[in-house]
Amino acid sequence: LTASSGTGYAFSGPGLSQSGTSNTATASQAGSYSVIVSGANGCTASAGVSLTVNPLPSAPTLTSVSRTFTASPTPLPMNQFVSAVGVLSFSGVSGLLSPAQADISSGGIQSFSVSQTNGNGCVSLSTPFSITVVVLPPGSQTVCRGSRVVLSVGLPGLRYQWYINGQTVAFELDELRNRQIGTKTASLTLASVQTTASYYVKVTGANGSVVWGGPFRVVVDFGCTPPGARVASGEEVAEVSLDVVLTPNPLADGMLRAVVSGAGGHPLVVELVDLRGAVVRSQAWPLAETLHQIEWEVATRPAGVYVLRATASGQSRSVKVIKP
């Protein structure tokens, strides 16, 4: 507040700060202010003014949208990361972003801030946030049958779960010694690849967000031999061990779900047997799939322990089944 044409000044009002008889005062609160100005001849005059202080808008709040992305040549829109009612302004290390997009063509962590401006032209405090850009390994690779393959995902997360040929619980991979290791980590090791398959990984962040990595396609070349492997004679045929994996065990939702591997292209018989040795359900297929899925409804069966037995190509594999 500034007054003029006098020799003395007396300001009044809320939140007022004035130094001596200066013709300038600082007002820090909304309200009515006045000044009495004295002249050299002893005459006085007064004036008043009303001050309105508009509040700042709230700083934008972050949404629950995941802020981890794979590298892409397409710029990333930024509005999805925050909630606000005013006009948003995004800034990066190089200053204001116009348009509000991020360059995610290369990997790394990028830092940003965002503020909002309301209808009065008031600007909020800034909300900082960051995005993580990861560069994934090649989506497909060709290997010799029997090769050891390591698949890694660069997505940061709290929990990991690997899948094969699908993204539902029936395709979840479990730890199997000498077959697959690291099914719940960022790096999956396939000890001896026998069939062509696509692998996926579900990454759960600390805030509960879910990001999928993949597909990582592993193509088996049957015409080559992995380094260090014994070359079979013309009479030898590589044998794949029969295996049965229950997903899950104990059973859930009254369903028995299993994946049989090692029987692809051969007749397959699967039986569910109780502890007395009685077959309570069986099914046969003239030609099994490479990863043969089984889904049986067993809700009416009594709770207890059963045995699931798969037979193919002269091999038999049995696993214990727990029905709650």
Side-chain angles (χ1 to χ4, degrees):
L1 306 176
T2 304
S4 60
S5 302
T7 58
Y9 307 89
F11 288 89
S12 62
L16 195 65
S17 175
Q18 180 188 13
S19 176
T21 58
S22 169
N23 70 328
T24 300
T26 300
S28 60
Q29 299 178 24
S32 297
Y33 293 85
S34 62
V35 61
I36 298 176
V37 181
S38 301
N41 57 4
C43 297
T44 62
S46 63
V49 66
S50 179
L51 175 64
T52 300
V53 179
N54 293 316
L56 294 180
S58 300
T61 57
L62 299 180
T63 64
S64 59
V65 175
S66 172
R67 293 189 293 279
T68 298
F69 299 87
T70 55
S72 170
T74 303
L76 179 70
M78 305 292 279
N79 284 21
Q80 60 183 304
F81 302 126
V82 293
S83 296
V85 295
V87 178
L88 294 174
S89 298
F90 290 87
S91 298
V93 293
S94 300
L96 186 67
L97 297 179
S98 183
Q101 297 176 338
D103 181 357
I104 57 170
S105 58
S106 58
I109 297 177
Q110 301 182 28
S111 297
F112 301 93
S113 64
V114 57
S115 62
Q116 65 171 320
T117 303
N118 64 15
N120 293 320
C122 298
V123 181
S124 73
L125 297 175
S126 296
T127 299
F129 68 96
S130 64
I131 64 172
T132 300
V133 182
V134 296
V135 179
L136 297 180
S140 179
Q141 55 183 303
T142 301
V143 299
C144 301
R145 186 178 187 179
S147 295
R148 180 178 183 272
V149 176
V150 178
L151 303 176
S152 297
V153 62
L155 297 170
L158 184 64
R159 296 189 303 275
Y160 299 85
Q161 175 61 58
W162 286 86
Y163 296 73
I164 182 171
N165 291 333
Q167 295 174 270
T168 64
V169 65
F171 301 98
E172 281 187 3
L173 286 174
D174 292 324
E175 293 287 306
L176 293 175
R177 189 174 58 183
N178 300 326
R179 183 179 291 268
Q180 58 218 18
I181 304 169
T183 58
K184 292 178 172 37
T185 70
S187 182
L188 174 69
T189 299
L190 306 172
S192 179
V193 177
Q194 300 295 329
T195 58
T196 296
S198 295
Y199 296 85
Y200 303 83
V201 59
K202 182 170 72 173
V203 183
T204 304
N207 62 353
S209 62
V210 173
V211 178
W212 284 92
F216 302 92
R217 186 152 180 84
V218 179
V219 179
V220 173
D221 180 0
F222 291 89
C224 68
T225 303
R230 179 173 60 88
V231 179
S233 66
E235 299 297 323
E236 293 180 311
V237 177
E239 182 178 294
V240 181
S241 297
L242 188 67
D243 197 12
V244 180
V245 177
L246 286 160
T247 56
N249 193 23
L251 306 184
D253 304 323
M255 296 294 296
L256 184 154
R257 297 180 175 90
V259 177
V260 179
S261 58
H266 298 280
L268 171 66
V269 176
V270 178
E271 300 172 312
L272 183 63
V273 183
D274 63 22
L275 291 183
R276 295 174 298 174
V279 177
V280 297
R281 178 157 184 180
S282 67
Q283 191 170 352
W285 296 266
L287 290 177
E289 301 290 336
T290 301
L291 291 172
H292 199 89
Q293 297 180 53
I294 299 170
E295 290 197 14
W296 287 350
E297 196 278 321
V298 294
T300 59
R301 299 291 175 188
V305 178
Y306 297 80
V307 173
L308 186 67
R309 182 170 59 221
T311 304
S313 301
Q315 301 182 69
S316 183
R317 171 71 168 161
S318 299
V319 294
K320 181 171 66 175
V321 179
I322 301 174
K323 182 183 182 299

